[in-house]
Amino acid sequence: MHLQQAESNGPASESVERPEKPLKEFLQESSSLPFGQRIQISSIGGPTYLTVQTLVQQVAYTLSDRLWTYSPETFDLDVAVKGWFRDGAYNAHGYPTNVESMQIRQGAASIALGYMFSQDFDLTKRFTPQTVLASSSSLAYLRSALDELSLLYAVANPFVAHVAAVDYAGGSSALVTDYVSTLSLVEELGFALVASSSVYESQHMALFATLLASIVPAIHIYDGVNVGRETARVIDVLDQAGLHNNYKSILQEVSSPRRKNVDLDTKVERMLKAFNNELGTDYGLFEYHGHSSPDAVLVTFGTAESSLGVQVASAIGKGGSRIGVLNVRVYRPFVEDEFLRLLPTSTKVVGVLGQVTDSDYVADNSVKSALYVDVVAAVTFSDNLQTPPSVVDIKYPREQAWTSVSMAAAFQLLLKKPVIQREARSETSKGGQDLRLLESASVQQYVFWDFDNSPSANAPLAFSSALAKESSSNITVKTRHDNLVHGGLIKTDVRKSKQGIDAPYAIDAADLIYIGEVKLLQTFNVLLGLKSRGKILLKLPGVKDEEIEKQLPEGFRKALSTQEGELFIFDPSGVEPVSNDPALETYLLQAAFLRVGLPTLEKIGLDRIASVNGSPDVIWELAQQLEHALRKIDVPEDWKAIGIESGTAGLPSEIRTTNFVGFNKTDDEPLAYLKDWKTAAKGLAFSEAYATTTALRPDLAIKTHTVRVMENRRLTPLTYDRNIFHIEFDLGQSGLKYEIGEALGIHAENDEVQVEEFIRFYKLDPEEVVEVPSRDDASVLENRTVWQALMQNVDIFGRPPKRFYEALAEFADDASEKQELQALGGSEGATEFKRRAEVDTVTYADILLEFPSAHPSFHDIVRIVSPMKRREYSIASCQKVTPNSVALMIVVVAWVDPKGRDRFGQATRFLNKLRVGAPVTVSIKPSVMKLPPKSTQPLIMAGLGTGLAPFRAFVQHRAWEKAQGKEIGSVLLYMGSRHQREEYCYGEEWEAYQDAGVITLLGRAFSRDQPQKIYIQDRMRQTMADIIQAYLKEEGAFYLCGPTWPVPDVTNVLEDAIAQDARTVGKRTDPHKEIENLKDQLRYVLEVY
């Protein structure tokens, strides 16, 4: 069904005249900025959408004389202050704050000391704060300078460091929230340490830390991975004047002579009291929340830890648990008297949520967290506690990602009674987690999953910015990057509510989840974050309704049906303007998301989207055509009955943050050079002097052989649309040897007719001799004619990367062509480049034809066009059976482009046209497809289409072993294709091997030969008992070869077999982990593409 435009927003807004405006691309400049956009410091004040990092930088820039920043590349801890300094924005002292971006190395921060203690220092700035912006990962390099500063502080400027708690985890590429480094440093150096627990108080705490710097060097710390980069609406933001006035008033209040001769603890307490009086706040050094007479109290420090601890304590306290939370706001100095005053006297056990470096420290009982040491000292040596409570060190590693459930688990360690009552679970938790902190009636939650190079990658930020136009709503948005999955993945969480939202954890009950690539369903359990009866919006271009089920993993289908979720398909290819200009996809997605997620607000929402993105006319035109791109798919009841025990449970539900920006996918082209025919002639004429040798493809670093075609026959009927053929080569005297499972590399040539056409079009001399440097080894030179180079070396009919457009622009004489080529080679032309590459499938030759003013010489063509690469194909024969030949099973890659031109895969076309006796250059590539060490171990093989090729070799080898009198294990062969009549390739061979007792079971899945589709995983499930016996009981090996899409479903079958076998023998097991063990044993082998 198609979704129609909502009609519930009152009068149609089409009647409003909208002036024509150009569309603009909403790009994220930095995840540390609100909605990723730059903001002027003068506009910060009152109710404003901001991030913690922007607020911290505003305080630092406003009150400081100088700023030294130590921000690792891509962390962007100083992106706002650098922009304000560049624009000449004034601080509160009447001049631009000097911002110096420094290198992170040993001796860092020495420049700050040199500035403060230099002979020509301006003494009028003696009491003006000097500030550092840094990450916790850089503190080790600042330590020596900070140590010296602490010794000289009596004669130094006020000094404050705003530290983002972020570092890379040891042994992985994940970013972690790191408090350990800072806790250790302040303990050793005697610095004050203040923490922010949310964006709403981050400006106040940055100001308070700056005030503390007037009496002691101070550090203000905040979560630098998640909360620090979340955009939220903060109501009571102080502008620059407000910051400065409050700063002066509070300092004046605490600076009277009668208040000076007191200890540090008292000074800090008085500073906080003056701070609260001036701002009308109620902050404490420590803050207690929870039951008035608790049995157990959890002590926390940190942004997410403190905020989430309070919320979880409140939630589970409603169930009768007598618990509380004592948050540490000012960790240094640790004022023990105030801590003990706030600790309820009824407390029997104190749990200390203390961060340590990693899981090894968690497991080591001799290691205690820093916070635990302070708490246990305060409790143990107190004279005020008649019966001191026991103190428990609840250690957690830096990589801990806190959720409501994991925080509840920390409380559970302190109580005997379960903190989550199962009978009290709400309906919203069905299919998901057990503890919800936000009421679904008052908070709407949306999640976007996408690749970072998607044309709609920035749509969530633009959409959120549009939602924020409604003054009565509060929006939060946070984007995270995992650059190690699928080449770059982003996940954006968006929340919407009438009230302020403090939720320092990933969304666990989304109303709507957008999935920009179906591959993500094989990698992540996205449904764990969907509330019951929530909606899924899946981008699936060009797929018909009857094909959708095949695209979805079984586990996803089962979970979606169980959660009673709704499924919507987003197909931008169905809208003509988007097909013509893919850059419009991001606007179409925002309109689609609005219709599915907020249908009653569609009309006013479209106006807000237009105000953010530009032209209302374009936005509304796309919205009118949305029914062609958006449709609802019925979720069948029988999906619930899919026989999967674990479903998607083995997949992660969250990404690991590995960076704050997408991965740079642009490769730098290596320098190349080309010599003319004269140099080549010298090398041929004076071979000894020039050390010239004659070799077969000397440009290749691998050993090559020449073989000849002995058979080339089509396996599918001529009338069938897929040309699958069998090609066999005579090895002759080549000396080629190959093993079972290896691949044959084909060093193909370009099509001769196309090469001749290009030579004529480009006006080249085909006989000109050139010397071409090898791309694999620049020291190896190859003598070629132009014709030979185009036939065998230069991939002139391949698909050009971005750098080709950029390089070609240098040769363009026409200004408009030059500009267009530069755009295609840059970020602004990303969408058009993608269309050319994926839709039009243009080649290097097409581009040279399209831009005639860009006419590089042939020498330059060789330099800027990529070399041809060999193509590898799984060998479909066993050399023990056919010692003098090698066979391949190939499908011709062919398609028609939008201009109606026939296009072909270069290698498959080359092979298909070969006649018997034709020579071919080949090489061998090792493979993961290896037989198990024992001939008695069973083989379970699943192949789709040409994925059967290696299994033909496997079966031939087992037949040879049987003929030698060896005992062989059972052989289970599952094959999948569309039709038996057309695609039962090698069918007679398989049946003959089965009759001979080599193949034990032949599972044939022809998906379109009956009304209901039958896939390879269905045949496997029908023979589960055989799989259990061969795979698990007899320790067989499983192999899958072919496309990637059946991997999750096939793996689910094997996991079900493992679970079923475990139940039979009364053993508990984790099927997912067992599959991982089988991988390590080389008994679960995939070769997919």
Side-chain angles (χ1 to χ4, degrees):
M1 61 177 284
H2 289 287
L3 299 184
Q4 301 301 317
Q5 185 170 328
E7 297 293 342
S8 58
N9 290 338
S13 54
E14 286 87 338
S15 60
V16 179
E17 185 177 350
R18 301 181 180 86
E20 182 65 30
K21 296 181 181 179
L23 278 169
K24 57 185 177 183
E25 193 173 4
F26 194 97
L27 297 176
Q28 174 178 282
E29 294 191 41
S30 171
S31 63
S32 69
L33 298 171
F35 300 114
Q37 308 300 297
R38 292 190 180 276
I39 184 170
Q40 297 298 318
I41 194 169
S42 59
S43 65
I44 299 178
T48 313
Y49 278 95
L50 295 161
T51 64
V52 170
Q53 289 196 356
T54 307
L55 283 167
V56 166
Q57 292 177 69
Q58 180 228 14
V59 173
Y61 192 90
T62 297
L63 300 178
S64 303
D65 169 44
R66 287 203 175 201
L67 276 171
W68 293 274
T69 68
Y70 297 89
S71 175
E73 189 177 2
T74 76
F75 281 23
D76 284 350
L77 304 180
D78 55 1
V79 64
V81 293
K82 286 194 294 188
W84 299 332
F85 176 57
R86 187 169 53 249
D87 295 341
Y90 279 17
N91 59 20
H93 313 296
Y95 55 88
T97 301
N98 189 281
V99 178
E100 298 185 46
S101 183
M102 311 302 295
Q103 292 182 349
I104 301 174
R105 54 181 176 79
Q106 291 298 334
S110 296
I111 187 174
L113 292 181
Y115 173 72
M116 286 188 282
F117 296 110
S118 65
Q119 292 182 352
D120 56 352
F121 179 73
D122 185 354
L123 293 179
T124 62
K125 300 178 180 180
R126 166 67 177 81
F127 298 103
T128 304
Q130 309 296 340
T131 303
V132 161
L133 299 178
S135 67
S136 58
S137 60
S138 66
L139 291 180
Y141 301 96
L142 303 175
R143 191 192 186 289
S144 61
L146 296 181
D147 191 7
E148 187 174 353
L149 173 66
S150 67
L151 298 174
L152 301 171
Y153 202 65
V155 292
N157 285 71
F159 175 85
V160 61
H162 299 285
V163 175
V166 54
D167 194 3
Y168 281 101
S172 79
S173 298
L175 287 166
V176 295
T177 304
D178 169 37
Y179 297 115
V180 176
S181 302
T182 309
L183 295 178
S184 174
L185 182 129
V186 298
E187 173 66 22
E188 296 170 359
L189 301 185
F191 280 33
L193 179 60
V194 180
S196 292
S197 63
S198 74
V199 62
Y200 304 105
E201 62 182 45
S202 57
Q203 186 191 45
H204 287 175
M205 288 304 101
L207 173 59
F208 181 64
T210 309
L211 286 162
L212 282 181
S214 65
I215 55 178
V216 62
I219 292 179
H220 166 228
I221 194 167
Y222 59 92
D223 176 355
V225 178
N226 296 308
V227 179
R229 294 172 180 271
E230 182 175 53
T231 298
R233 189 185 188 208
V234 186
I235 302 299
D236 53 349
V237 179
L238 297 171
D239 59 13
Q240 285 186 285
L243 282 172
H244 192 220
N245 292 336
N246 281 286
Y247 179 78
K248 290 189 299 182
S249 298
I250 296 168
L251 280 185
Q252 185 175 1
E253 169 67 19
V254 298
S255 62
S256 61
R258 62 185 176 84
R259 294 174 176 266
K260 289 186 176 180
N261 298 320
V262 294
D263 61 18
L264 180 60
D265 289 6
T266 304
K267 288 181 180 179
V268 172
E269 289 182 285
R270 288 178 176 176
M271 181 72 78
L272 185 57
K273 182 179 179 180
F275 185 88
N276 285 328
N277 289 339
E278 186 68 28
L279 272 72
T281 53
D282 191 27
Y283 296 117
L285 304 178
F286 307 91
E287 294 165 358
Y288 177 78
H289 306 268
H291 199 280
S292 58
S293 301
D295 295 323
V297 171
L298 186 68
V299 181
T300 66
F301 175 82
T303 305
E305 291 83 344
S306 297
S307 174
L308 191 55
V310 172
Q311 295 179 53
V312 171
S314 174
I316 62 182
K318 296 174 182 178
S321 298
R322 295 161 60 93
I323 58 172
V325 177
L326 190 53
N327 290 340
V328 180
R329 180 178 298 283
V330 179
Y331 180 73
R332 281 289 180 272
F334 194 93
V335 184
E336 293 185 1
D337 290 344
E338 181 65 9
F339 176 83
L340 294 171
R341 185 184 72 80
L342 290 175
L343 182 66
T345 56
S346 63
T347 306
K348 298 180 177 61
V349 59
V350 175
V352 180
L353 203 62
Q355 189 184 80
V356 291
T357 303
D358 54 35
S359 55
D360 290 337
Y361 282 76
V362 174
D364 189 344
N365 292 329
S366 67
V367 175
K368 305 300 180 184
S369 68
L371 183 58
Y372 170 81
V373 172
D374 285 297
V375 172
V376 77
V379 170
T380 303
F381 298 108
S382 170
D383 296 329
N384 300 328
L385 297 173
Q386 294 182 352
T387 307
S390 59
V391 183
V392 179
D393 195 5
I394 304 175
K395 297 182 291 184
Y396 66 95
R398 297 184 304 167
E399 57 265 29
Q400 173 73 48
W402 288 106
T403 66
S404 57
V405 173
S406 59
M407 184 60 72
F411 281 106
Q412 186 65 73
L413 295 174
L414 308 178
L415 300 170
K416 295 180 181 179
K417 178 183 176 182
V419 297
I420 301 177
Q421 303 297 323
R422 292 186 174 274
E423 62 271 14
R425 292 180 185 174
S426 67
E427 178 66 19
T428 58
S429 69
K430 183 177 181 181
Q433 300 188 29
D434 302 321
L435 189 63
R436 307 292 192 211
L437 302 180
L438 300 175
E439 293 292 335
S440 60
S442 60
V443 181
Q444 293 82 56
Q445 303 183 87
Y446 313 107
V447 178
F448 294 76
W449 292 79
D450 212 341
F451 288 176
D452 62 14
N453 60 354
S454 164
S456 302
N458 289 310
L461 292 176
F463 181 76
S464 304
S465 183
L467 293 181
K469 298 291 183 182
E470 182 185 355
S471 60
S472 61
S473 291
N474 290 276
I475 308 299
T476 66
V477 57
K478 176 175 61 183
T479 297
R480 293 186 292 150
H481 291 260
D482 187 340
N483 292 344
L484 303 182
V485 177
H486 294 301
L489 174 67
I490 56 174
K491 178 177 181 282
T492 304
D493 287 359
V494 180
R495 290 181 169 102
K496 178 179 182 291
S497 176
K498 297 295 183 183
Q499 307 297 324
I501 306 167
D502 185 9
Y505 52 89
I507 288 176
D508 55 9
D511 296 87
L512 173 59
I513 297 178
Y514 169 72
I515 304 160
E517 174 56 60
V518 73
K519 291 180 183 178
L520 295 173
L521 301 180
Q522 302 172 2
T523 314
F524 292 93
N525 181 4
V526 300
L527 293 181
L528 196 61
L530 184 72
K531 76 175 186 180
S532 179
R533 301 187 182 92
K535 300 174 181 177
I536 293 290
L537 179 60
L538 174 63
K539 180 182 175 182
L540 208 58
V543 177
K544 298 178 181 178
D545 286 0
E546 58 269 22
E547 296 290 332
I548 289 175
E549 182 172 322
K550 177 181 175 181
Q551 300 286 329
L552 305 178
E554 286 185 342
F556 173 83
R557 302 203 307 266
K558 179 181 178 68
L560 182 64
S561 182
T562 302
Q563 291 178 233
E564 300 178 13
E566 297 182 67
L567 178 62
F568 298 83
I569 298 300
F570 175 61
D571 183 358
S573 66
V575 175
E576 185 176 354
V578 179
S579 297
N580 296 333
D581 183 5
L584 297 176
E585 182 182 315
T586 183
Y587 314 114
L588 185 68
L589 172 60
Q590 293 171 57
F593 202 90
L594 186 65
R595 181 169 295 183
V596 176
L598 293 163
T600 61
L601 300 177
E602 183 174 350
K603 289 184 178 178
I604 191 170
L606 287 173
D607 281 333
R608 288 171 179 155
I609 289 174
S611 70
V612 170
N613 292 287
S615 171
D617 293 334
V618 175
I619 301 298
W620 277 88
E621 180 186 352
L622 291 173
Q624 296 298 329
Q625 300 187 52
L626 192 55
E627 63 182 51
H628 302 299
L630 186 65
R631 63 189 191 273
K632 184 177 181 182
I633 302 299
D634 293 330
V635 178
E637 274 291 318
D638 59 9
W639 282 6
K640 294 181 181 178
I642 294 175
I644 300 176
E645 181 176 294
S646 58
T648 56
L651 299 176
S653 61
E654 278 299 317
I655 70 171
R656 294 188 317 160
T657 302
T658 63
N659 213 318
F660 298 122
V661 297
F663 177 68
N664 184 2
K665 301 175 179 64
T666 303
D667 295 325
D668 293 330
E669 183 184 12
L671 293 174
Y673 63 95
L674 190 69
K675 296 182 179 179
D676 60 20
W677 69 269
K678 297 176 183 177
T679 305
K682 291 177 183 178
L684 294 172
F686 308 102
S687 57
E688 289 188 19
Y690 285 87
T692 304
T693 59
T694 301
L696 177 63
R697 297 303 300 270
D699 56 310
L700 301 171
I702 56 175
K703 183 174 177 57
T704 55
H705 309 266
T706 299
V707 297
R708 294 186 178 274
V709 179
M710 62 182 293
E711 182 181 9
N712 190 344
R713 60 184 170 91
R714 181 165 174 152
L715 299 175
T716 54
L718 290 173
T719 55
Y720 192 52
D721 60 357
R722 298 188 78 215
N723 179 2
I724 302 176
F725 63 97
H726 170 94
I727 187 166
E728 197 156 347
F729 302 99
D730 181 4
L731 303 183
Q733 304 300 314
S734 67
L736 185 146
K737 301 292 181 185
Y738 61 93
E739 300 293 333
I740 292 292
E742 291 186 326
L744 190 69
I746 300 295
H747 303 269
E749 298 180 357
N750 277 321
D751 182 73
E752 186 174 351
V753 174
Q754 285 186 306
V755 167
E756 290 174 350
E757 288 177 351
F758 180 79
I759 288 174
R760 286 195 298 271
F761 148 68
Y762 215 73
K763 298 179 174 58
L764 296 172
D765 178 2
E767 301 301 322
E768 182 181 2
V769 178
V770 291
E771 191 174 55
V772 185
S774 167
R775 295 299 178 103
D776 294 322
D777 184 354
S779 65
V780 177
L781 302 176
E782 185 176 8
N783 295 307
R784 293 273 168 180
T785 64
V786 167
W787 187 84
Q788 288 174 322
L790 288 171
M791 285 293 295
Q792 300 177 348
N793 290 69
V794 184
D795 195 18
I796 196 69
F797 305 113
R799 297 187 187 182
K802 273 198 169 196
R803 62 174 180 267
F804 174 73
Y805 292 92
E806 184 179 6
L808 189 61
E810 298 178 7
F811 299 95
D813 297 328
D814 182 85
S816 61
E817 288 189 2
K818 187 182 192 71
Q819 183 177 3
E820 185 174 356
L821 286 167
Q822 289 173 335
L824 289 167
S827 58
E828 65 272 25
T831 303
E832 172 63 13
F833 169 78
K834 185 174 182 181
R835 182 187 67 80
R836 286 167 169 267
E838 299 180 5
V839 179
D840 294 344
T841 60
V842 296
T843 67
Y844 290 101
D846 292 333
I847 301 304
L848 290 169
L849 179 64
E850 181 182 355
F851 297 94
S853 81
H855 197 89
S857 68
F858 187 73
H859 289 227
D860 287 315
I861 285 179
V862 174
R863 181 176 59 84
I864 66 177
V865 175
S866 299
M868 292 168 62
K869 302 295 183 183
R870 65 171 177 163
R871 303 296 194 272
E872 283 112 7
Y873 301 94
S874 296
I875 294 174
S877 59
C878 169
Q879 196 163 23
K880 287 186 171 66
V881 177
T882 59
N884 298 316
S885 67
V886 60
L888 301 177
M889 180 188 187
I890 309 289
V891 61
V892 173
V893 178
W895 68 98
V896 178
D897 71 9
K899 294 182 180 180
R901 297 174 296 186
D902 290 328
R903 298 289 202 181
F904 299 92
Q906 184 247 0
T908 59
R909 182 189 200 184
F910 167 76
L911 289 170
N912 188 51
K913 293 172 65 177
L914 290 175
R915 298 289 180 259
V916 173
V920 181
T921 301
V922 299
S923 56
I924 295 295
K925 181 188 177 184
S927 169
V928 296
M929 304 287 281
K930 299 183 184 297
L931 285 168
K934 299 178 183 178
S935 61
T936 54
Q937 286 181 265
L939 304 178
I940 304 97
M941 302 171 290
L944 279 79
T946 56
L948 284 171
F951 303 141
R952 183 173 184 261
F954 279 26
V955 172
Q956 284 184 357
H957 183 81
R958 279 291 166 94
W960 176 83
E961 288 182 319
K962 184 177 176 68
Q964 302 301 308
K966 292 184 179 180
E967 181 184 356
I968 63 171
S970 56
V971 175
L972 284 62
L973 177 61
Y974 298 92
M975 63 180 67
S977 59
R978 291 184 292 183
H979 301 287
Q980 179 172 359
R981 182 174 178 274
E982 288 84 4
E983 285 189 72
Y984 189 24
C985 300
Y986 302 125
E988 292 182 357
E989 287 188 30
W990 306 131
E991 293 175 4
Y993 283 124
Q994 188 176 31
D995 291 341
V998 177
I999 294 180
T1000 312
L1001 185 151
L1002 193 56
R1004 296 166 292 191
F1006 301 105
S1007 59
R1008 302 186 186 182
D1009 278 354
Q1010 60 282 313
Q1012 75 283 8
K1013 290 190 172 65
I1014 297 177
Y1015 299 113
I1016 199 166
Q1017 61 267 25
D1018 300 317
R1019 292 300 186 212
M1020 292 176 65
R1021 198 172 291 283
Q1022 291 168 1
T1023 56
M1024 185 73 81
D1026 298 281
I1027 290 176
I1028 291 174
Q1029 180 64 31
Y1031 194 31
L1032 304 176
K1033 304 294 186 185
E1034 299 175 9
E1035 298 185 347
F1038 173 79
Y1039 306 88
L1040 173 65
C1041 186
T1044 57
W1045 67 260
V1047 171
D1049 295 329
V1050 168
T1051 304
N1052 283 334
V1053 174
L1054 298 180
E1055 290 179 348
D1056 285 352
I1058 292 168
Q1060 184 176 324
D1061 181 55
R1063 287 195 299 269
T1064 302
V1065 299
K1067 182 178 68 173
R1068 295 187 63 181
T1069 187
D1070 182 338
H1072 181 70
K1073 289 184 179 178
E1074 190 60 31
I1075 289 291
E1076 294 301 316
N1077 292 334
L1078 290 166
K1079 286 182 183 178
D1080 295 337
Q1081 300 170 28
L1082 301 181
R1083 292 177 54 206
Y1084 175 91
V1085 181
L1086 307 181
E1087 189 169 271
V1088 293
Y1089 39 83

